[in-house]
């Protein structure tokens, strides 16, 4: 492949000039940004079956946890990509497709590696190792100099932490008994700090990290922790707000310490909270229930083609399943995230 490097590099430099704002996009994290890396894993946490993907391209499930596009897909399109970054664990992640970046995210993973182990998914530390392997493949395709340029000019996005709280901490008696939400947040942020430093050492210079969403407003969280009420669970939201404040502080410290790093915290909490608390103003009719099944608890394998009660028009719903937004909601969220991360695309 090395003898093809000059030709391939020239081809994609020309392609970039036609509309791509950045040369590549790299994605890490959990189900909010997973595009199919869990599809072939022996895990219950996957979405490569109907009705997932029913409003996506060709109405096919891909492993995305939505009825259609993720906010990530829409952001990639705004950046000028005509193809979505492939799931690194898929057959599509090879050859020229690797030049636009790759998606390493895995549903039910997080900053806390034990979360991924619990569900047999791909931990953030393993995602980093996959990225390291990807970088070596990129060098083989384009040459070392071009690969380094593509990585340093590319944008790296991270969305993690929700699974650590909702799918581990809150339901794990041992973890809950030995840690307060505050001390557990510190554990997660130490992992985040380490992850960013490792990405930086591998050449990443432009990184966007998403905050936690309003955890207490997700349909599944209200069902599980709302004690029969239909309102957002304040305790969970307060934990998310506290984590997000610490995330911003830690990110500022990282920026000061790593001189060439451009690190932007992308606020997902407030845009999603606004959709949930002001649905009519944003074109939605339902926020307590998700579209799939009863809309109260279904996600992953519980959201399937036999789920009774699945809605016919997901665009009226903020949530597709009990954890994840619909494409209609993702469109609004992507617009907000793109604006908040605009500094990442500036020279």
């Amino acid at each position: 492949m090395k003898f093809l490097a000059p030709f391939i590099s020239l081809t994609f430099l020309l392609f970039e000039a036609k509309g791509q704002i950045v040369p590549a996009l790299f994605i890490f994290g959990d189900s909010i940004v997973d595009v199919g890396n869990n599809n072939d894993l022996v895990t219950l946490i996957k979405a490569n079956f109907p009705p997932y993907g029913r409003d996506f391209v060709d109405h096919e499930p891909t492993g995305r946890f939505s009825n259609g596009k993720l906010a990530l897909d829409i952001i990639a399109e705004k950046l000028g990509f005509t193809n979505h970054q492939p799931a690194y664990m898929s057959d599509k992640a090879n050859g020229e497709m690797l030049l636009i970046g790759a998606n390493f995210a895995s549903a039910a993973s997080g900053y806390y590696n034990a979360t991924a182990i619990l569900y047999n998914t791909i931990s953030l530390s393993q995602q980093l190792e996959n990225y390291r392997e990807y970088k070596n493949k990129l060098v083989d395709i384009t040459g070392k100099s071009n690969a380094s340029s593509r990585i340093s000019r590319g944008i790296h996005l991270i969305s993690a932490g929700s699974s650590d709280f909702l799918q581990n901490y809150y339901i794990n008696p041992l973890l809950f008994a030995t840690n307060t939400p505050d001390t557990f947040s510190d554990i997660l942020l130490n992992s985040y700090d380490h992850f960013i430093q490792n990405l930086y050492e591998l050449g990443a210079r432009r990184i966007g990290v998403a905050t936690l969403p309003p955890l207490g407003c997700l349909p599944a969280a209200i069902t599980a922790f709302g004690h029969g009420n239909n309102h957002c669970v304040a305790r969970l939201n307060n934990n998310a707000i506290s984590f997000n404040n610490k995330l911003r502080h830690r990110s500022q410290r990282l920026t000061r310490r790593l001189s060439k790093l451009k690190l932007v915290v992308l606020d997902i909490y407030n845009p999603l909270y606004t959709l949930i608390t002001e649905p009519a103003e944003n074109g939605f009719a339902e926020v307590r229930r998700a579209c799939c099944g009863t809309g109260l608890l279904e996600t992953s394998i519980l959201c399937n083609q036999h789920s009774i009660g699945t809605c016919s028009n997901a665009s009226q719903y903020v949530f597709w399943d009990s954890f994840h937004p619909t494409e209609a909601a993702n469109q609004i969220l992507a617009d907000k995230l793109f604006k908040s991360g605009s500094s990442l695309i500036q020279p």
Side-chain angles (χ1 to χ4, degrees):
M1 287 293 289
K2 289 183 179 179
F3 72 93
L4 292 174
F7 173 75
I8 294 176
S9 298
L10 177 61
T11 299
F12 270 77
L13 283 172
L14 291 172
F15 177 68
E16 282 175 40
K18 292 182 180 179
Q20 281 181 213
I21 299 174
V22 295
L25 191 59
F26 309 96
I27 305 98
F28 307 86
D30 55 25
S31 59
I32 294 297
V33 289
D34 185 356
V35 296
N37 283 307
N38 282 14
N39 288 0
D40 295 324
L41 299 182
V42 182
T43 179
L44 298 177
I45 314 300
K46 55 179 67 179
N48 58 335
F49 44 81
Y52 286 103
R54 73 179 194 188
D55 300 312
F56 195 66
V57 180
D58 298 326
H59 310 288
E60 290 290 333
T62 60
R64 288 167 169 80
F65 284 77
S66 187
N67 60 304
K69 294 177 183 177
L70 305 179
L72 165 71
D73 297 318
I74 299 163
I75 289 170
E77 291 166 6
K78 286 176 175 290
L79 289 170
F81 292 101
T82 55
N83 290 302
H84 297 134
Q85 282 63 33
Y88 186 68
M89 303 301 290
S90 73
D91 293 338
K92 294 181 180 179
N94 59 69
E96 292 186 356
M97 279 299 290
L98 292 178
L99 296 179
I100 63 170
N103 186 309
F104 303 91
S106 174
S109 68
Y111 294 119
Y112 194 60
N113 277 345
T115 301
I117 294 171
L118 192 62
Y119 295 96
N120 198 38
T121 59
I122 306 168
S123 67
L124 208 56
S125 60
Q126 183 58 51
Q127 290 178 38
L128 188 70
E129 289 306 308
N130 291 345
Y131 176 73
R132 196 186 305 272
E133 179 184 80
Y134 160 88
K135 184 180 177 182
N136 292 333
K137 291 180 181 179
L138 190 63
V139 169
D140 288 342
I141 295 171
T142 70
K144 188 173 182 179
S145 177
N146 285 324
S148 296
S149 174
R150 191 168 293 275
I151 285 173
S152 64
R153 292 166 52 222
I155 292 177
H156 297 67
L157 297 177
I158 306 162
S159 173
S162 295
S163 294
D164 292 320
F165 277 100
L166 291 173
Q167 293 173 270
N168 197 351
Y169 177 73
Y170 291 133
I171 62 172
N172 185 332
L174 181 60
L175 202 55
F176 194 80
T178 54
N179 290 278
T180 66
D182 195 52
T183 59
F184 186 63
S185 290
D186 290 340
I187 292 171
L188 301 186
L189 288 163
N190 286 338
S191 175
Y192 163 71
D193 193 302
H194 187 64
F195 185 78
I196 296 297
Q197 289 187 74
N198 281 324
L199 268 185
Y200 186 83
E201 289 171 5
L202 288 170
R205 294 296 180 265
R206 304 181 183 190
I207 304 175
V209 56
T211 65
L212 290 183
L215 298 175
C217 294
L218 306 186
I222 296 174
T223 300
F225 306 108
H227 303 293
N229 295 317
N230 285 320
H231 305 294
C232 296
V233 183
R235 171 174 62 92
L236 273 60
N237 280 353
N238 289 336
N239 292 163
I241 291 170
S242 176
F243 176 89
N244 292 342
N245 288 335
K246 289 185 175 185
L247 178 68
R248 292 185 182 92
H249 179 69
R250 186 67 67 98
S251 297
Q252 290 170 356
R253 283 173 49 188
L254 282 162
T255 302
R256 288 193 296 268
R257 190 161 73 242
L258 306 173
S259 61
K260 296 181 180 179
L261 176 64
K262 184 178 289 187
L263 177 58
V264 177
V265 176
L266 307 171
D267 177 27
I268 191 68
Y269 186 103
N270 287 299
L272 183 54
Y273 188 75
T274 298
L275 295 188
I276 292 166
T277 55
E278 301 175 9
E281 292 87 337
N282 290 282
F284 297 101
E286 179 60 64
V287 294
R288 170 61 184 97
R289 294 187 305 111
C291 172
C292 191
T294 66
L296 300 176
L297 201 58
E298 292 91 341
T299 191
S300 191
I301 61 170
L302 295 179
C303 172
N304 57 66
Q305 57 189 338
H306 303 297
S307 299
I308 298 173
T310 299
C311 76
S312 59
N313 184 5
S315 65
Q316 296 179 340
Y317 289 68
V318 171
F319 292 99
W320 163 248
D321 66 16
S322 64
F323 281 90
H324 307 98
T326 58
E327 179 178 314
N330 280 331
Q331 180 67 62
I332 296 173
L333 297 174
D335 290 343
K336 300 289 186 182
L337 291 169
F338 188 78
K339 289 177 183 176
S340 66
S342 60
S343 63
L344 288 173
I345 62 178
Q346 295 171 359

